[in-house]
Amino acid sequence: MRTSCRHLALAGVSAVVAFGLAAVSAPVARAADTTLSVVVADYGTGPADASLKYWQTIADDFHAANPTITVKIQSINWNDFDTKVQTMVQNRQYPDITEGDYFSNYAQEGLLYKVSDVMTDPSNLMPAFTKLGSYGGVQYGMPFTTSSRAFFYNKKLFAQAGIAAPPTTWDELMTDAGKITALGKIGYGMPLGPEEAQAETLLWFLGNDGGYQDADGKYTINSPQNVETMEFMTKLVKAGDTEPNPGTKNRAELLEQFAQGDVGMMNGITTLLPIIKTANKLTDADWGTTAITGKTGPISKTLGVCDFMAAFKGDGTKLDAIKKFIDFTYQDKYQIAFDQEYNLLPGTVSGAAAFSKIDPALAPFMTALPNAVQYPADTAWAQVKTQIQQIIGTAIGPDPKSVLDTIQQTALKGS
């Protein structure tokens, strides 16, 4: 998900209060204890909503029920999570459990436990993400939190610009963006900065029947459809219908600007909902969501993203403790608490069913999940993703194909 997320946090802390997530100090391990090292990504925006609070509450609750097992939580800024975990693995300082991105190369190297080894009821995991969390037909990654994307538009700006309805085609989007830009606002927000360029890029590729891979799982990053898509995106940027220099713009900043009423349209995520409420500049009647705009019409697909838990084998002595902690963590109450805190969606079937009853506004996003397109699940993806984040912004220019060719070569080398 990195929904990245990459995920902006809900400013409110109601879920934290409900679950008493106040304490952050870890219990002291006794000599005879089993100690689990749990490394998690931080989805928060500061101390008030830091993910460490959420995880420490689970660790404390778990320790009360299992006094011989101590859980030590290490929270890492989302933007640094991948790199730091990769460094731990390279230095053979394996965490016992991670929550964040999952990379199948760890499974390929034999470092991870199978899900069936560390979870009593794997069938409760969201089935749409089984393939994404698998390697060689075996599931290693456990969906922990999920999200899907939609096209957000500012109805207030649309009315001021004389636009009657959200665009359904790229040409309509460009025309509408130009009208909104004439009002002194950003017509279309295009976040191609390093935070989550891979998501924005894929949504545009899907709009032209492109993508990162074909139906057989072969990389097609430099396909004619994708090149044509980047050429249109370049045209949009050159016309001044987006923010300046999209390659340096992260999604988080654009979400804030949308909430302030300064962006006419953008592809967004559920985390935008609380940001809009916190900004208090747009009423619920001032904005709307619809299907992602495609070249010739709205597309039926969207991007579904998922962050995973994974369990490392280490020296093989902690399997029972790992399984107890994972089963404990995947209780519905903890799934719901996390997703209420960060406006994301559950990673379990039972959690999603319970959450739909609590927050009907998120039901459309959960409905989209089963048919959502996902990122590649092969061992090349980690490098491909990083390169997209670093250079896709340079494809906005006179020669997008050469940039896509470079990324394609990286994908082929790693496959």
Side-chain angles (χ1 to χ4, degrees), residues 62-325:
F62 178 77
H63 188 69
N66 301 273
T68 62
I69 305 173
T70 297
V71 177
K72 291 186 175 180
I73 306 294
Q74 179 181 356
S75 178
I76 298 174
N77 179 286
W78 183 265
N79 293 330
D80 299 327
F81 180 82
D82 296 351
T83 302
K84 291 196 173 184
V85 171
Q86 288 173 21
T87 300
M88 291 177 191
V89 172
Q90 289 168 358
N91 293 334
R92 300 181 183 275
Q93 296 173 341
Y94 305 113
D96 295 307
I97 297 170
T98 58
E99 189 281 312
D101 272 339
Y102 154 79
F103 294 115
S104 57
N105 49 310
Y106 298 152
Q108 181 188 39
E109 295 166 12
L111 300 177
L112 302 181
Y113 281 117
K114 297 182 292 185
V115 171
S116 57
D117 289 335
V118 295
M119 193 173 209
T120 298
D121 184 16
S123 67
N124 192 36
L125 296 173
M126 195 73 77
F129 297 97
T130 297
K131 183 178 179 182
L132 187 62
S134 297
Y135 171 75
V138 178
Q139 188 173 6
Y140 295 90
M142 294 160 276
F144 184 77
T145 189
T146 62
S147 66
S148 61
R149 308 302 165 93
F151 184 88
F152 282 73
Y153 62 102
N154 183 320
K155 294 180 180 179
K156 202 172 181 179
L157 291 179
F158 270 44
Q160 292 174 16
I163 306 168
T168 60
T169 68
W170 285 356
D171 287 341
E172 290 178 1
L173 185 150
M174 187 166 183
T175 299
D176 293 347
K179 292 178 180 178
I180 294 169
T181 300
L183 299 175
K185 304 292 186 179
I186 297 172
Y188 177 82
M190 184 186 289
L192 294 180
E195 180 193 6
E196 211 180 32
Q198 72 276 10
E200 179 72 8
T201 303
L202 179 56
L203 289 170
W204 277 95
F205 285 172
L206 293 175
N208 196 22
D209 292 327
Y212 291 138
Q213 292 179 311
D214 63 17
D216 295 326
K218 296 180 180 177
Y219 276 99
T220 56
I221 295 170
N222 60 349
S223 69
Q225 298 99 310
N226 290 348
V227 173
E228 182 186 36
T229 299
M230 294 305 306
E231 289 172 345
F232 178 83
M233 294 167 70
T234 297
K235 182 179 173 183
L236 195 63
V237 174
K238 283 189 172 182
D241 294 334
T242 68
E243 77 280 7
N245 303 317
T248 63
K249 194 77 166 185
N250 279 332
R251 184 187 62 180
E253 187 177 352
L254 273 174
L255 293 178
E256 295 284 355
Q257 289 180 279
F258 185 93
Q260 292 292 330
D262 294 330
V263 178
M265 302 169 277
M266 68 178 296
N267 295 320
I269 192 171
T270 52
T271 50
L272 179 53
L273 307 183
I275 296 171
I276 291 173
K277 289 189 179 298
T278 301
N280 199 29
K281 294 291 182 68
L282 301 175
T283 69
D284 289 345
D286 290 335
W287 60 275
T289 61
T290 189
I292 302 295
T293 306
K295 179 183 176 183
T296 59
I299 62 175
S300 58
K301 304 172 185 174
T302 187
L303 170 64
V305 295
C306 174
D307 296 333
F308 291 90
M309 289 189 82
F312 284 76
K313 294 178 180 177
D315 62 7
T317 62
K318 300 180 181 178
L319 176 58
D320 289 343
I322 289 172
K323 186 172 183 178
K324 283 183 179 179
F325 182 72

